[in-house]
Amino acid sequence: MKMVLDTYASLNAVPLEKSTPEAVRKAPSLADAVKAVMKKEGKSAPFTGTTQDIKVPTAGGELAARVYIPAGDGPFPTIYYIHGGGWVIGDIDIYDSSPRALCEKTKAVVISTEYRKAPEHKYPAAHDDTWAVYQWVLQNAAKYKGDPKKVAIVGESAGGNMAASICIMAKQKGVQMPVHQLLIYPVTDYSFET
């Protein structure tokens, strides 16, 4: 981790607290530092599947998405993955390694999408987007060798908050529930003291 943090510092990253969301979104990330360290060490994460960059239509506009498809014929279980970034700075490129690893290790189709970010788009824009995408995944998983009856949901950080929200909304609205929910350091409380 020290190597990653030292590399991150050498990339002249913009400190979050001293910048704007727009500048931080364009600045080098910790993911860039990890990639640089792996390259320097001659390491790579194995990935035997394929990826497709697509657009997903929602009421808020088209959202960029990436589909990770394992090698083989399918149909495969499907995962809807929601990235983190505090609802402000993350994107599917910064969070590429998690869905890629999920696809490789679980042999599931993984669909990762963007969502509208704050502060330009106030709450509940991101939640509305991810809810719309979840419904889109249920209807379109088969186009990517996914099984629409076996859809799980995964979220990291702010994405974990939205993944949990989707499960609650699906139950309340009588929509197909995810077969599994994985929350990675999710935001589940507003106290921020834990």
Side-chain angles (χ1 to χ4, degrees), residues 43-102:
K43 296 178 181 175
S44 64
F47 184 69
T48 57
T50 59
T51 61
Q52 285 183 341
D53 287 342
I54 63 169
K55 298 283 186 185
V56 175
T58 70
E62 284 192 328
L63 301 174
R66 185 165 297 138
V67 183
Y68 303 79
I69 305 168
D73 294 328
F76 300 104
T78 305
I79 296 171
Y80 173 32
Y81 171 86
I82 307 170
H83 68 75
W87 295 278
V88 177
I89 59 173
D91 64 33
I92 61 175
D93 292 324
I94 290 172
Y95 281 87
D96 179 69
S97 63
S98 293
R100 190 173 293 270
L102 283 166

Short mmCIF file of all heavy atoms in Angstrom, two decimals, residues 43-102:
data_model
loop_
_atom_site.label_atom_id
_atom_site.label_comp_id
_atom_site.label_asym_id
_atom_site.label_seq_id
_atom_site.Cartn_x
_atom_site.Cartn_y
_atom_site.Cartn_z
N LYS A 43 3.06 -6.96 -13.34
CA LYS A 43 1.91 -7.78 -12.95
C LYS A 43 0.67 -7.34 -13.72
O LYS A 43 0.56 -6.19 -14.14
CB LYS A 43 1.64 -7.65 -11.45
CG LYS A 43 2.75 -8.16 -10.58
CD LYS A 43 2.44 -7.96 -9.12
CE LYS A 43 3.59 -8.47 -8.27
NZ LYS A 43 3.38 -8.20 -6.86
N SER A 44 -0.24 -8.27 -13.87
CA SER A 44 -1.54 -7.95 -14.47
C SER A 44 -2.58 -8.86 -13.86
O SER A 44 -2.27 -9.97 -13.42
CB SER A 44 -1.50 -8.10 -15.99
OG SER A 44 -1.28 -9.45 -16.33
N ALA A 45 -3.80 -8.39 -13.84
CA ALA A 45 -4.91 -9.19 -13.33
C ALA A 45 -5.46 -9.99 -14.49
O ALA A 45 -5.81 -9.43 -15.53
CB ALA A 45 -5.98 -8.29 -12.73
N PRO A 46 -5.54 -11.32 -14.35
CA PRO A 46 -6.05 -12.12 -15.47
C PRO A 46 -7.52 -11.83 -15.75
O PRO A 46 -8.31 -11.64 -14.83
CB PRO A 46 -5.85 -13.56 -14.98
CG PRO A 46 -5.83 -13.47 -13.50
CD PRO A 46 -5.26 -12.12 -13.17
N PHE A 47 -7.84 -11.76 -17.03
CA PHE A 47 -9.23 -11.60 -17.44
C PHE A 47 -9.41 -12.35 -18.74
O PHE A 47 -8.81 -12.01 -19.76
CB PHE A 47 -9.59 -10.12 -17.60
CG PHE A 47 -11.04 -9.90 -17.93
CD1 PHE A 47 -12.02 -10.14 -16.98
CD2 PHE A 47 -11.44 -9.46 -19.18
CE1 PHE A 47 -13.37 -9.97 -17.27
CE2 PHE A 47 -12.78 -9.27 -19.48
CZ PHE A 47 -13.75 -9.53 -18.53
N THR A 48 -10.23 -13.38 -18.72
CA THR A 48 -10.43 -14.22 -19.90
C THR A 48 -11.70 -13.89 -20.65
O THR A 48 -11.97 -14.47 -21.70
CB THR A 48 -10.45 -15.71 -19.49
OG1 THR A 48 -11.49 -15.91 -18.52
CG2 THR A 48 -9.12 -16.14 -18.90
N GLY A 49 -12.50 -12.96 -20.12
CA GLY A 49 -13.75 -12.58 -20.76
C GLY A 49 -13.57 -11.46 -21.76
O GLY A 49 -12.46 -11.15 -22.19
N THR A 50 -14.69 -10.85 -22.12
CA THR A 50 -14.68 -9.70 -23.03
C THR A 50 -15.47 -8.57 -22.40
O THR A 50 -16.26 -8.80 -21.46
CB THR A 50 -15.33 -10.06 -24.39
OG1 THR A 50 -16.67 -10.49 -24.17
CG2 THR A 50 -14.54 -11.15 -25.10
N THR A 51 -15.27 -7.37 -22.89
CA THR A 51 -16.04 -6.22 -22.41
C THR A 51 -16.69 -5.52 -23.60
O THR A 51 -16.18 -5.58 -24.72
CB THR A 51 -15.17 -5.21 -21.64
OG1 THR A 51 -14.16 -4.71 -22.51
CG2 THR A 51 -14.53 -5.85 -20.41
N GLN A 52 -17.81 -4.89 -23.31
CA GLN A 52 -18.50 -4.06 -24.30
C GLN A 52 -18.90 -2.77 -23.61
O GLN A 52 -19.50 -2.80 -22.53
CB GLN A 52 -19.77 -4.73 -24.81
CG GLN A 52 -19.59 -5.86 -25.76
CD GLN A 52 -20.93 -6.40 -26.25
OE1 GLN A 52 -21.97 -6.17 -25.66
NE2 GLN A 52 -20.90 -7.11 -27.35
N ASP A 53 -18.57 -1.64 -24.23
CA ASP A 53 -19.07 -0.35 -23.75
C ASP A 53 -20.38 -0.06 -24.47
O ASP A 53 -20.45 -0.13 -25.71
CB ASP A 53 -18.04 0.75 -23.98
CG ASP A 53 -16.86 0.65 -23.03
OD1 ASP A 53 -16.97 -0.03 -21.99
OD2 ASP A 53 -15.81 1.24 -23.32
N ILE A 54 -21.41 0.24 -23.69
CA ILE A 54 -22.74 0.46 -24.24
C ILE A 54 -23.36 1.70 -23.60
O ILE A 54 -22.76 2.32 -22.72
CB ILE A 54 -23.66 -0.77 -24.01
CG1 ILE A 54 -23.88 -1.00 -22.50
CG2 ILE A 54 -23.10 -2.01 -24.69
CD1 ILE A 54 -24.97 -2.02 -22.16
N LYS A 55 -24.56 2.03 -24.03
CA LYS A 55 -25.36 3.11 -23.42
C LYS A 55 -26.66 2.50 -22.93
O LYS A 55 -27.26 1.66 -23.61
CB LYS A 55 -25.67 4.21 -24.43
CG LYS A 55 -24.46 4.91 -24.99
CD LYS A 55 -23.89 5.88 -24.02
CE LYS A 55 -22.77 6.68 -24.68
NZ LYS A 55 -22.10 7.55 -23.75
N VAL A 56 -27.10 2.93 -21.74
CA VAL A 56 -28.36 2.45 -21.18
C VAL A 56 -29.31 3.64 -21.10
O VAL A 56 -28.99 4.66 -20.48
CB VAL A 56 -28.15 1.84 -19.77
CG1 VAL A 56 -29.48 1.47 -19.13
CG2 VAL A 56 -27.24 0.62 -19.85
N PRO A 57 -30.48 3.54 -21.73
CA PRO A 57 -31.44 4.66 -21.69
C PRO A 57 -32.16 4.72 -20.35
O PRO A 57 -32.55 3.70 -19.79
CB PRO A 57 -32.42 4.30 -22.81
CG PRO A 57 -32.36 2.81 -22.92
CD PRO A 57 -30.95 2.41 -22.53
N THR A 58 -32.29 5.93 -19.81
CA THR A 58 -33.06 6.18 -18.60
C THR A 58 -33.85 7.47 -18.79
O THR A 58 -33.59 8.22 -19.74
CB THR A 58 -32.17 6.33 -17.35
OG1 THR A 58 -31.44 7.56 -17.43
CG2 THR A 58 -31.20 5.16 -17.19
N ALA A 59 -34.75 7.76 -17.88
CA ALA A 59 -35.51 9.00 -17.96
C ALA A 59 -34.59 10.22 -17.85
O ALA A 59 -34.89 11.28 -18.39
CB ALA A 59 -36.57 9.04 -16.85
N GLY A 60 -33.45 10.06 -17.16
CA GLY A 60 -32.49 11.16 -17.00
C GLY A 60 -31.51 11.28 -18.14
O GLY A 60 -30.63 12.13 -18.13
N GLY A 61 -31.62 10.43 -19.15
CA GLY A 61 -30.71 10.45 -20.30
C GLY A 61 -29.95 9.14 -20.40
O GLY A 61 -30.05 8.26 -19.54
N GLU A 62 -29.17 9.00 -21.47
CA GLU A 62 -28.38 7.79 -21.65
C GLU A 62 -27.19 7.77 -20.70
O GLU A 62 -26.53 8.79 -20.51
CB GLU A 62 -27.85 7.70 -23.09
CG GLU A 62 -28.89 7.28 -24.10
CD GLU A 62 -28.28 6.93 -25.43
OE1 GLU A 62 -27.25 7.53 -25.80
OE2 GLU A 62 -28.84 6.06 -26.11
N LEU A 63 -26.94 6.60 -20.13
CA LEU A 63 -25.83 6.43 -19.20
C LEU A 63 -24.79 5.50 -19.82
O LEU A 63 -25.14 4.46 -20.39
CB LEU A 63 -26.31 5.82 -17.88
CG LEU A 63 -27.37 6.62 -17.12
CD1 LEU A 63 -27.86 5.82 -15.92
CD2 LEU A 63 -26.81 7.97 -16.68
N ALA A 64 -23.52 5.87 -19.69
CA ALA A 64 -22.44 4.99 -20.14
C ALA A 64 -22.44 3.74 -19.27
O ALA A 64 -22.69 3.81 -18.06
CB ALA A 64 -21.10 5.71 -20.05
N ALA A 65 -22.17 2.61 -19.89
CA ALA A 65 -22.13 1.34 -19.16
C ALA A 65 -21.05 0.45 -19.77
O ALA A 65 -20.66 0.63 -20.92
CB ALA A 65 -23.48 0.64 -19.23
N ARG A 66 -20.59 -0.49 -18.96
CA ARG A 66 -19.63 -1.49 -19.44
C ARG A 66 -20.16 -2.85 -19.04
O ARG A 66 -20.52 -3.07 -17.89
CB ARG A 66 -18.26 -1.24 -18.86
CG ARG A 66 -17.18 -2.17 -19.42
CD ARG A 66 -15.78 -1.66 -19.09
NE ARG A 66 -15.56 -0.38 -19.74
CZ ARG A 66 -14.95 0.67 -19.15
NH1 ARG A 66 -14.50 0.58 -17.91
NH2 ARG A 66 -14.80 1.81 -19.79
N VAL A 67 -20.18 -3.77 -20.00
CA VAL A 67 -20.63 -5.13 -19.76
C VAL A 67 -19.40 -6.04 -19.82
O VAL A 67 -18.63 -5.99 -20.78
CB VAL A 67 -21.67 -5.58 -20.81
CG1 VAL A 67 -22.16 -6.99 -20.49
CG2 VAL A 67 -22.83 -4.61 -20.88
N TYR A 68 -19.23 -6.86 -18.78
CA TYR A 68 -18.14 -7.82 -18.68
C TYR A 68 -18.77 -9.20 -18.88
O TYR A 68 -19.64 -9.60 -18.12
CB TYR A 68 -17.48 -7.74 -17.31
CG TYR A 68 -16.96 -6.36 -16.96
CD1 TYR A 68 -17.84 -5.36 -16.52
CD2 TYR A 68 -15.62 -6.04 -17.07
CE1 TYR A 68 -17.38 -4.10 -16.21
CE2 TYR A 68 -15.15 -4.77 -16.75
CZ TYR A 68 -16.04 -3.80 -16.33
OH TYR A 68 -15.59 -2.54 -16.02
N ILE A 69 -18.32 -9.91 -19.91
CA ILE A 69 -18.92 -11.19 -20.26
C ILE A 69 -17.87 -12.29 -20.12
O ILE A 69 -16.82 -12.24 -20.78
CB ILE A 69 -19.47 -11.16 -21.70
CG1 ILE A 69 -20.45 -9.98 -21.87
CG2 ILE A 69 -20.13 -12.49 -22.06
CD1 ILE A 69 -20.82 -9.68 -23.30
N PRO A 70 -18.14 -13.29 -19.28
CA PRO A 70 -17.16 -14.36 -19.13
C PRO A 70 -17.04 -15.20 -20.40
O PRO A 70 -17.97 -15.22 -21.22
CB PRO A 70 -17.70 -15.19 -17.96
CG PRO A 70 -19.12 -14.84 -17.83
CD PRO A 70 -19.33 -13.50 -18.46
N ALA A 71 -15.91 -15.89 -20.54
CA ALA A 71 -15.74 -16.81 -21.67
C ALA A 71 -16.73 -17.95 -21.53
O ALA A 71 -17.04 -18.38 -20.42
CB ALA A 71 -14.30 -17.33 -21.68
N GLY A 72 -17.26 -18.42 -22.64
CA GLY A 72 -18.20 -19.53 -22.61
C GLY A 72 -19.52 -19.16 -23.24
O GLY A 72 -19.71 -18.05 -23.74
N ASP A 73 -20.45 -20.09 -23.18
CA ASP A 73 -21.72 -19.93 -23.89
C ASP A 73 -22.84 -19.31 -23.07
O ASP A 73 -23.75 -18.73 -23.62
CB ASP A 73 -22.18 -21.30 -24.41
CG ASP A 73 -21.23 -21.83 -25.48
OD1 ASP A 73 -20.64 -21.02 -26.22
OD2 ASP A 73 -21.06 -23.06 -25.54
N GLY A 74 -22.85 -19.50 -21.77
CA GLY A 74 -23.94 -18.98 -20.96
C GLY A 74 -25.20 -19.80 -21.13
O GLY A 74 -25.14 -20.86 -21.77
N PRO A 75 -26.33 -19.40 -20.61
CA PRO A 75 -26.49 -18.13 -19.88
C PRO A 75 -25.79 -18.18 -18.52
O PRO A 75 -25.75 -19.22 -17.86
CB PRO A 75 -27.99 -18.00 -19.72
CG PRO A 75 -28.53 -19.38 -19.79
CD PRO A 75 -27.59 -20.15 -20.67
N PHE A 76 -25.24 -17.03 -18.17
CA PHE A 76 -24.50 -16.88 -16.93
C PHE A 76 -25.34 -16.11 -15.91
O PHE A 76 -26.17 -15.29 -16.30
CB PHE A 76 -23.20 -16.10 -17.17
CG PHE A 76 -22.27 -16.75 -18.14
CD1 PHE A 76 -22.15 -16.27 -19.43
CD2 PHE A 76 -21.50 -17.83 -17.75
CE1 PHE A 76 -21.27 -16.86 -20.33
CE2 PHE A 76 -20.62 -18.42 -18.64
CZ PHE A 76 -20.51 -17.94 -19.95
N PRO A 77 -25.09 -16.33 -14.61
CA PRO A 77 -25.69 -15.43 -13.62
C PRO A 77 -25.28 -14.00 -13.97
O PRO A 77 -24.27 -13.77 -14.65
CB PRO A 77 -25.07 -15.88 -12.30
CG PRO A 77 -24.54 -17.24 -12.56
CD PRO A 77 -24.21 -17.31 -14.02
N THR A 78 -26.06 -13.03 -13.53
CA THR A 78 -25.83 -11.63 -13.88
C THR A 78 -25.67 -10.81 -12.62
O THR A 78 -26.38 -11.02 -11.64
CB THR A 78 -27.01 -11.09 -14.71
OG1 THR A 78 -27.19 -11.94 -15.85
CG2 THR A 78 -26.76 -9.68 -15.18
N ILE A 79 -24.73 -9.87 -12.66
CA ILE A 79 -24.50 -8.96 -11.54
C ILE A 79 -24.65 -7.53 -12.06
O ILE A 79 -24.03 -7.16 -13.06
CB ILE A 79 -23.08 -9.13 -10.95
CG1 ILE A 79 -22.91 -10.53 -10.36
CG2 ILE A 79 -22.81 -8.05 -9.90
CD1 ILE A 79 -21.47 -10.85 -9.94
N TYR A 80 -25.47 -6.75 -11.37
CA TYR A 80 -25.50 -5.31 -11.62
C TYR A 80 -24.58 -4.69 -10.58
O TYR A 80 -24.83 -4.79 -9.38
CB TYR A 80 -26.92 -4.76 -11.54
CG TYR A 80 -26.98 -3.24 -11.63
CD1 TYR A 80 -26.07 -2.52 -12.39
CD2 TYR A 80 -27.95 -2.53 -10.94
CE1 TYR A 80 -26.13 -1.14 -12.48
CE2 TYR A 80 -28.02 -1.15 -11.02
CZ TYR A 80 -27.10 -0.46 -11.78
OH TYR A 80 -27.15 0.91 -11.85
N TYR A 81 -23.50 -4.06 -11.04
CA TYR A 81 -22.47 -3.47 -10.17
C TYR A 81 -22.61 -1.95 -10.19
O TYR A 81 -22.65 -1.34 -11.27
CB TYR A 81 -21.08 -3.89 -10.65
CG TYR A 81 -19.98 -3.14 -9.93
CD1 TYR A 81 -19.49 -3.61 -8.71
CD2 TYR A 81 -19.46 -1.97 -10.44
CE1 TYR A 81 -18.50 -2.90 -8.04
CE2 TYR A 81 -18.48 -1.26 -9.78
CZ TYR A 81 -18.01 -1.74 -8.58
OH TYR A 81 -17.05 -1.03 -7.90
N ILE A 82 -22.62 -1.33 -8.99
CA ILE A 82 -22.73 0.13 -8.88
C ILE A 82 -21.47 0.66 -8.20
O ILE A 82 -21.17 0.31 -7.05
CB ILE A 82 -23.98 0.55 -8.09
CG1 ILE A 82 -25.22 -0.12 -8.68
CG2 ILE A 82 -24.12 2.07 -8.10
CD1 ILE A 82 -26.47 0.05 -7.82
N HIS A 83 -20.74 1.51 -8.90
CA HIS A 83 -19.47 2.03 -8.37
C HIS A 83 -19.68 3.08 -7.28
O HIS A 83 -20.77 3.64 -7.13
CB HIS A 83 -18.61 2.60 -9.50
CG HIS A 83 -19.16 3.85 -10.13
ND1 HIS A 83 -19.10 5.07 -9.52
CD2 HIS A 83 -19.78 4.05 -11.31
CE1 HIS A 83 -19.63 5.98 -10.30
NE2 HIS A 83 -20.07 5.39 -11.40
N GLY A 84 -18.62 3.35 -6.57
CA GLY A 84 -18.63 4.37 -5.52
C GLY A 84 -18.11 5.70 -6.02
O GLY A 84 -18.05 5.97 -7.21
N GLY A 85 -17.72 6.55 -5.06
CA GLY A 85 -17.20 7.87 -5.39
C GLY A 85 -17.96 8.98 -4.71
O GLY A 85 -17.93 10.13 -5.14
N GLY A 86 -18.66 8.63 -3.62
CA GLY A 86 -19.35 9.66 -2.85
C GLY A 86 -20.47 10.36 -3.60
O GLY A 86 -20.80 11.50 -3.28
N TRP A 87 -21.02 9.71 -4.62
CA TRP A 87 -22.07 10.29 -5.47
C TRP A 87 -21.54 11.47 -6.29
O TRP A 87 -22.29 12.14 -6.97
CB TRP A 87 -23.30 10.76 -4.68
CG TRP A 87 -24.05 9.68 -4.00
CD1 TRP A 87 -24.98 8.86 -4.55
CD2 TRP A 87 -23.95 9.30 -2.63
NE1 TRP A 87 -25.46 7.98 -3.61
CE2 TRP A 87 -24.84 8.24 -2.41
CE3 TRP A 87 -23.18 9.75 -1.55
CZ2 TRP A 87 -24.99 7.62 -1.18
CZ3 TRP A 87 -23.32 9.14 -0.32
CH2 TRP A 87 -24.22 8.08 -0.14
N VAL A 88 -20.22 11.72 -6.23
CA VAL A 88 -19.66 12.92 -6.85
C VAL A 88 -18.54 12.62 -7.85
O VAL A 88 -18.52 13.19 -8.94
CB VAL A 88 -19.12 13.89 -5.76
CG1 VAL A 88 -18.47 15.12 -6.36
CG2 VAL A 88 -20.23 14.29 -4.81
N ILE A 89 -17.58 11.76 -7.52
CA ILE A 89 -16.36 11.68 -8.34
C ILE A 89 -16.07 10.34 -9.00
O ILE A 89 -15.25 10.28 -9.89
CB ILE A 89 -15.13 12.11 -7.52
CG1 ILE A 89 -14.95 11.21 -6.30
CG2 ILE A 89 -15.22 13.57 -7.16
CD1 ILE A 89 -13.66 11.44 -5.54
N GLY A 90 -16.66 9.25 -8.59
CA GLY A 90 -16.32 7.94 -9.16
C GLY A 90 -16.87 7.77 -10.56
O GLY A 90 -17.75 8.49 -11.01
N ASP A 91 -16.31 6.78 -11.28
CA ASP A 91 -16.85 6.42 -12.59
C ASP A 91 -16.50 4.98 -12.92
O ASP A 91 -15.79 4.31 -12.16
CB ASP A 91 -16.38 7.39 -13.69
CG ASP A 91 -14.88 7.38 -13.94
OD1 ASP A 91 -14.23 6.31 -13.79
OD2 ASP A 91 -14.34 8.42 -14.32
N ILE A 92 -16.98 4.49 -14.05
CA ILE A 92 -16.77 3.08 -14.39
C ILE A 92 -15.32 2.77 -14.74
O ILE A 92 -14.93 1.60 -14.68
CB ILE A 92 -17.73 2.60 -15.51
CG1 ILE A 92 -17.54 3.37 -16.81
CG2 ILE A 92 -19.17 2.66 -15.05
CD1 ILE A 92 -18.36 2.85 -17.99
N ASP A 93 -14.53 3.77 -15.08
CA ASP A 93 -13.11 3.52 -15.35
C ASP A 93 -12.32 3.39 -14.05
O ASP A 93 -11.49 2.49 -13.92
CB ASP A 93 -12.53 4.63 -16.23
CG ASP A 93 -13.11 4.60 -17.63
OD1 ASP A 93 -13.37 3.49 -18.15
OD2 ASP A 93 -13.33 5.68 -18.20
N ILE A 94 -12.57 4.27 -13.11
CA ILE A 94 -11.88 4.19 -11.82
C ILE A 94 -12.22 2.87 -11.13
O ILE A 94 -11.36 2.23 -10.53
CB ILE A 94 -12.25 5.39 -10.92
CG1 ILE A 94 -11.62 6.67 -11.48
CG2 ILE A 94 -11.81 5.17 -9.48
CD1 ILE A 94 -12.06 7.94 -10.79
N TYR A 95 -13.47 2.46 -11.24
CA TYR A 95 -13.94 1.23 -10.59
C TYR A 95 -14.00 0.05 -11.57
O TYR A 95 -14.83 -0.82 -11.44
CB TYR A 95 -15.31 1.47 -9.95
CG TYR A 95 -15.22 2.20 -8.63
CD1 TYR A 95 -15.20 3.58 -8.58
CD2 TYR A 95 -15.16 1.50 -7.43
CE1 TYR A 95 -15.13 4.25 -7.37
CE2 TYR A 95 -15.09 2.16 -6.22
CZ TYR A 95 -15.07 3.54 -6.20
OH TYR A 95 -15.00 4.20 -5.00
N ASP A 96 -13.10 0.00 -12.53
CA ASP A 96 -13.10 -1.09 -13.51
C ASP A 96 -12.63 -2.41 -12.91
O ASP A 96 -13.11 -3.48 -13.30
CB ASP A 96 -12.19 -0.71 -14.69
CG ASP A 96 -12.11 -1.79 -15.74
OD1 ASP A 96 -13.13 -2.03 -16.43
OD2 ASP A 96 -11.04 -2.42 -15.87
N SER A 97 -11.71 -2.39 -11.97
CA SER A 97 -11.11 -3.64 -11.48
C SER A 97 -12.11 -4.50 -10.70
O SER A 97 -12.05 -5.73 -10.77
CB SER A 97 -9.88 -3.35 -10.62
OG SER A 97 -10.23 -2.61 -9.47
N SER A 98 -13.03 -3.90 -9.98
CA SER A 98 -13.99 -4.69 -9.20
C SER A 98 -14.94 -5.51 -10.08
O SER A 98 -15.06 -6.72 -9.91
CB SER A 98 -14.78 -3.80 -8.23
OG SER A 98 -13.94 -3.28 -7.24
N PRO A 99 -15.64 -4.88 -11.05
CA PRO A 99 -16.50 -5.69 -11.90
C PRO A 99 -15.72 -6.69 -12.76
O PRO A 99 -16.19 -7.81 -13.03
CB PRO A 99 -17.27 -4.68 -12.76
CG PRO A 99 -16.56 -3.41 -12.60
CD PRO A 99 -15.80 -3.45 -11.33
N ARG A 100 -14.52 -6.32 -13.16
CA ARG A 100 -13.68 -7.23 -13.95
C ARG A 100 -13.34 -8.48 -13.12
O ARG A 100 -13.45 -9.61 -13.60
CB ARG A 100 -12.41 -6.48 -14.37
CG ARG A 100 -11.55 -7.20 -15.37
CD ARG A 100 -10.42 -6.28 -15.83
NE ARG A 100 -10.90 -5.15 -16.58
CZ ARG A 100 -11.03 -5.15 -17.92
NH1 ARG A 100 -10.73 -6.21 -18.61
NH2 ARG A 100 -11.48 -4.08 -18.54
N ALA A 101 -12.95 -8.27 -11.86
CA ALA A 101 -12.62 -9.40 -10.98
C ALA A 101 -13.87 -10.23 -10.66
O ALA A 101 -13.80 -11.46 -10.62
CB ALA A 101 -11.98 -8.89 -9.69
N LEU A 102 -15.01 -9.56 -10.44
CA LEU A 102 -16.25 -10.29 -10.20
C LEU A 102 -16.60 -11.20 -11.38
O LEU A 102 -16.98 -12.36 -11.20
CB LEU A 102 -17.41 -9.32 -9.94
CG LEU A 102 -17.46 -8.67 -8.56
CD1 LEU A 102 -18.44 -7.50 -8.58
CD2 LEU A 102 -17.85 -9.68 -7.51
#
